[in-house]
Amino acid sequence: MEEPPSSSSSPALPLDIVVEIAERSDPITLLRCAAACKHLRRVIAGEGFRRDLRLRNADGFVPGLLHGFFFQPRWPSPHYHGYNYDPLRFVAAGRHDQLSAAEDIASGGGGGGGDTYQIPSFVSDSNRVHKNKRSRRIEPVAARGGFVVLRTGKFSGKVCNPMTGYTRPIDMPRKTAKGEGSSYLLITFDAGGDVVGVGVTSDDSELHRFRLLAVRLFARTRVEVQELTPDTGTWGPVTTLPVVDADHYLHPHPVLDRESLGRQYHHSPPSYSYFILAVDVSIRRDGETGTTAAATIMLLPTELRAPSYTGEATVTPTPGQLLLSPSSRGGGRRSSLALLVCRSTQVEIWTMKLIRRGMALLRMACTKVVDLTGVPRSPCSPPVSESEVALLWSGDASGGVVLRLGGTVCLLDRRRRAVVVRALGDGEEFVEFGSGRRHVLLPYELGLSSWVPSISASLISWANV
Amino acid sequence: MATGSGAAAAAADAEEKESGSRMITLTSNEGKAFVVTEASARQSATIRSMVDDGGCVDKGFPLPNVDSKTLARVIQYCDEHGNKEAHTVDERAALAKFDKDFIAELDADKAFLYDVTMAANYLHIQGLFALTTQCIADTIKGKTPEEIRTAFGIEYDLTAQDEEEIKEEDTHA
């Protein structure tokens, strides 16, 4: 069928199949493939490759980009007012196909794989022993596309990329008494660009491949947006936006703030109703710095304010039970949103129909209910009460949603027609959650740009080790 | 699905309903005939489109790119996925276990694994292709470019300029 290989000892594969294999590997291996021969180099660095990566999964998600999560338990200190921090760990997500996660940890966790060098060094840097155990802490405030924004002090923080070793110290606005006064929106160029329409082309900045915005919502009326200037690590001027369609449910200190695709932004007050705050963060073509154009508030439907329609649910979901998530219904190129609502035994997926470039909510409806009763969990005494279930994170490149059921951390995988929920970290029980929930759990997802050699030049060095 | 006149479409629909019992013959490049259920054969998008186009179902399908050993193994996969239901959790688990065992066995014989991969590619059997390429992708994790060339039988064709480029990128790191 094929030309016999030049060397009889090793079988050959057509290069177009090798490209498909490379796509299914990890970023480091992909780069090494790109250094193997001219054809692979051309294809992998080429324009179409990134698109193919995304389209390979019909729904536009690349599940392999979710690598796992960082986990750091924290305990109230017996000696002073504050917390002690355990060493940081990284828990691998496991393999993203039918094979078991345990096997992956056995084969990939220790020997080879892209995480072997980069992530452990990030972990050990964080864990470098200081006299004061508190300095071990990581305080993530935002993460996307391989980048993580950490607070390191009252006025300081850093943006880093554990995979590439990139670190940039930055200023941080001071926390308010109730926690972060700002919500941070991290946008990496590959997450935006063509897919989200953030209006950033990938050559805008060769050095710093992200934008970081701090968004503060002030009661009812206005939103303040500041953008970080990565070159200096300082924040640019404040842009004040009037809020359109504001209702009477706002609260100055957002309890929940999670961002989704580029311009969406989510706040919820600890009151009876939830809303979504959408801030347009696209850069105008002629703009020197990032200027935002609009902010609107979209109230969630009455069912979510008083969720009586399920019968069993008699209490309003807590912020931890709600999560905004990208939804790729209708193809990978058009971004849309879904709101996930986690109950003790199920996750409801509410699909939203957004209009006016995503700035207005036309309607939303619960389109799918995922049963959680069959999901293995620890301690294994379902149903876990609703206070013990939490939606933690949603990845806009991998499409995965990380949730916690009691002490088990699970991945909700929406890429197949049947939504699959499985335990992460080989089903390990994180007993720490039994004694409080203030632990750091930071899922780590790479961006597609990490897969493209010309962009992540620093990764090439590993390709030649 | 069926195109053409209404009568033909109706006939095709009727056939569609019968498809569970219809048998299809696949012939390897060595001339060996394999008889499979249509449901099994439909795992292959290539064959599926030929069948749907009203092709030569009776005459069977010669597969000049696939040898008997490879075809037998590919059919094993198609039978499992085409003839069995996968609606309940248990059924899906059984299928997942089949895939796991199937690929573990193939993994032991690289050349054969490549043959099955190429056949899956040629026949457009999406599930099988995903299974084998993922398996191969896992085996090349952490390998150097040289090892990757060896693994896939790729000839070294980088020019001095390419190497210079790679070195250049190195110094940025």
Side-chain angles (χ1 to χ4, degrees):
Chain A
M1 46 214 270
E2 295 296 329
E3 289 295 307
S6 48
S7 147
S8 59
S9 63
S10 65
L13 269 179
L15 285 176
D16 54 338
I17 294 182
V18 174
V19 170
E20 301 242 9
I21 291 165
E23 273 182 29
R24 287 168 201 273
S25 66
D26 57 279
I28 304 298
T29 309
L30 184 69
L31 295 177
R32 291 175 177 182
C33 288
C37 77
K38 260 184 184 311
H39 179 83
L40 288 177
R41 196 168 171 72
R42 202 163 46 234
V43 171
I44 293 172
E47 277 294 302
F49 189 76
R50 196 190 301 192
R51 195 181 59 236
D52 289 349
L53 262 183
R54 205 169 260 285
L55 295 181
R56 177 158 56 83
N57 294 279
D59 58 7
F61 293 131
V62 185
L65 291 175
L66 175 63
H67 271 228
F69 59 89
F70 294 100
F71 182 59
Q72 183 176 48
R74 52 177 71 175
W75 314 95
S77 166
H79 305 300
Y80 51 85
H81 182 70
Y83 286 89
N84 280 334
Y85 296 85
D86 280 1
L88 185 67
R89 291 177 55 192
F90 186 74
V91 181
R95 221 193 283 237
H96 292 268
D97 55 22
Q98 298 93 331
L99 304 178
S100 77
E103 200 172 301
D104 182 62
I105 288 157
S107 66
D115 304 345
T116 317
Y117 310 107
Q118 294 84 17
I119 288 180
S121 82
F122 176 77
V123 168
S124 64
D125 279 356
S126 302
N127 288 339
R128 246 189 314 224
V129 182
H130 296 272
K131 275 183 186 161
N132 183 353
K133 276 190 167 185
R134 300 177 70 175
S135 55
R136 270 183 182 160
R137 74 181 187 276
I138 68 160
E139 272 194 68
V141 295
R144 172 174 284 120
F147 287 91
V148 180
V149 182
L150 303 171
R151 177 180 282 281
T152 55
K154 265 183 190 158
F155 301 104
S156 60
K158 60 180 178 177
V159 180
C160 48
N161 187 330
M163 283 303 273
T164 61
Y166 173 92
T167 302
R168 159 71 47 176
I170 59 169
D171 293 343
M172 289 289 278
R174 188 178 185 153
K175 276 204 234 180
T176 65
K178 291 192 178 179
E180 291 290 350
S182 301
S183 300
Y184 296 92
L185 178 61
L186 178 66
I187 304 168
T188 54
F189 290 163
D190 62 17
D194 51 357
V195 179
V196 188
V198 179
V200 181
T201 54
S202 52
D203 51 29
D204 275 7
S205 165
E206 271 310 308
L207 211 51
H208 313 292
R209 310 204 58 82
F210 63 89
R211 295 172 65 200
L212 181 63
L213 295 107
V215 180
R216 283 175 293 275
L217 176 65
F218 293 93
R220 299 184 193 187
T221 48
R222 65 193 164 94
V223 166
E224 287 187 1
V225 183
Q226 264 185 300
E227 178 154 3
L228 184 83
T229 311
D231 281 334
T232 57
T234 55
W235 294 85
V238 173
T239 309
T240 303
L241 300 171
V243 173
V244 183
D245 295 334
D247 211 336
H248 300 288
Y249 297 101
L250 308 185
H251 189 279
H253 304 295
V255 172
L256 171 71
D257 45 73
R258 302 183 195 279
E259 66 289 310
S260 178
L261 293 178
R263 71 172 94 83
Q264 316 299 340
Y265 213 76
H266 184 194
H267 286 262
S268 71
S271 72
Y272 197 48
S273 79
Y274 294 103
F275 62 84
I276 295 166
L277 172 65
V279 180
D280 185 347
V281 295
S282 54
I283 297 179
R284 289 189 202 132
R285 291 266 167 213
D286 55 344
E288 283 284 297
T289 55
T291 49
T292 55
T296 65
I297 277 183
M298 305 179 247
L299 280 176
L300 295 184
T302 47
E303 295 98 307
L304 287 173
R305 276 184 250 173
S308 53
Y309 83 106
T310 54
E312 70 148 75
T314 52
V315 289
T316 306
T318 61
Q321 285 173 259
L322 294 179
L323 184 69
L324 265 188
S325 166
S327 150
S328 57
R329 197 168 274 271
R333 293 195 63 81
R334 291 186 59 174
S335 59
S336 59
L337 278 179
L339 180 75
L340 276 59
V341 183
C342 191
R343 311 284 183 187
S344 61
T345 56
Q346 65 187 37
V347 176
E348 301 158 12
I349 300 177
W350 293 67
T351 310
M352 299 183 190
K353 170 89 175 155
L354 297 173
I355 51 170
R356 300 217 314 261
R357 289 177 41 106
M359 300 300 283
L361 178 63
L362 186 62
R363 61 173 173 271
M364 63 186 289
C366 181
T367 49
K368 196 167 192 112
V369 175
V370 183
D371 188 21
L372 295 177
T373 46
V375 180
R377 61 178 82 177
S378 319
C380 47
S381 56
V384 175
S385 77
E386 294 206 337
S387 65
E388 280 305 304
V389 299
L391 291 163
L392 301 171
W393 174 91
S394 143
D396 46 22
S398 68
V401 172
V402 173
L403 59 148
R404 180 171 69 80
L405 302 172
T408 308
V409 178
C410 298
L411 177 72
L412 189 142
D413 186 345
R414 289 176 298 160
R415 85 198 124 120
R416 300 201 188 96
R417 227 166 278 160
V419 178
V420 182
V421 182
R422 65 179 175 85
L424 283 173
D426 200 18
E428 172 178 354
E429 181 186 353
F430 296 89
V431 290
E432 293 88 347
F433 285 111
S435 56
R437 274 160 245 130
R438 296 184 57 92
H439 312 296
V440 175
L441 196 154
L442 173 66
Y444 186 66
E445 175 184 271
L446 289 180
L448 283 173
S449 70
S450 318
W451 287 64
V452 183
S454 58
I455 296 176
S456 311
S458 63
L459 287 182
I460 296 284
S461 57
W462 278 295
N464 294 322
V465 165
Chain B
M1 266 298 152
T3 55
S5 74
D13 279 353
E15 274 182 61
E16 192 76 39
K17 279 175 194 138
E18 296 280 312
S19 68
S21 56
R22 203 158 60 156
M23 300 305 279
I24 285 178
T25 305
L26 308 175
T27 314
S28 74
N29 65 359
E30 291 140 313
K32 189 169 171 193
F34 294 80
V35 180
V36 299
T37 64
E38 179 169 346
S40 173
R42 290 182 81 85
Q43 290 291 308
S44 155
T46 309
I47 294 174
R48 188 162 65 230
S49 66
M50 287 195 283
V51 171
D52 289 344
D53 287 349
C56 38
V57 175
D58 301 330
K59 281 179 281 175
F61 298 98
L63 304 173
N65 284 344
V66 188
D67 63 33
S68 302
K69 182 186 171 199
T70 308
L71 184 55
R73 186 56 67 95
V74 168
I75 288 170
Q76 196 190 338
Y77 175 91
C78 291
D79 281 349
E80 193 70 22
H81 283 257
N83 298 341
K84 297 229 171 119
E85 305 282 332
H87 298 307
T88 68
V89 173
D90 286 349
E91 283 164 353
R92 278 200 294 272
L95 216 49
K97 179 169 189 320
F98 168 85
D99 282 355
K100 193 180 167 189
D101 296 343
F102 183 87
I103 198 66
E105 207 176 307
L106 273 184
D107 198 17
D109 183 349
K110 280 277 139 10
F112 192 34
L113 175 61
Y114 287 5
D115 285 344
V116 172
T117 304
M118 285 187 280
N121 185 41
Y122 165 68
L123 291 168
H124 288 281
I125 306 169
Q126 212 185 348
L128 179 58
F129 188 66
L131 190 64
T132 57
T133 48
Q134 184 64 56
C135 172
I136 300 169
D138 291 341
T139 62
I140 60 162
K141 269 191 183 173
K143 292 208 163 148
T144 64
E146 179 54 41
E147 288 169 327
I148 288 167
R149 279 192 287 271
T150 310
F152 297 132
I154 298 170
E155 266 181 51
Y156 182 87
D157 65 352
L158 294 176
T159 59
Q161 199 194 335
D162 291 327
E163 290 288 358
E164 201 56 39
E165 243 177 64
I166 296 171
K167 266 208 199 113
E168 184 95 344
E169 285 156 353
D170 262 355
T171 58
H172 286 300

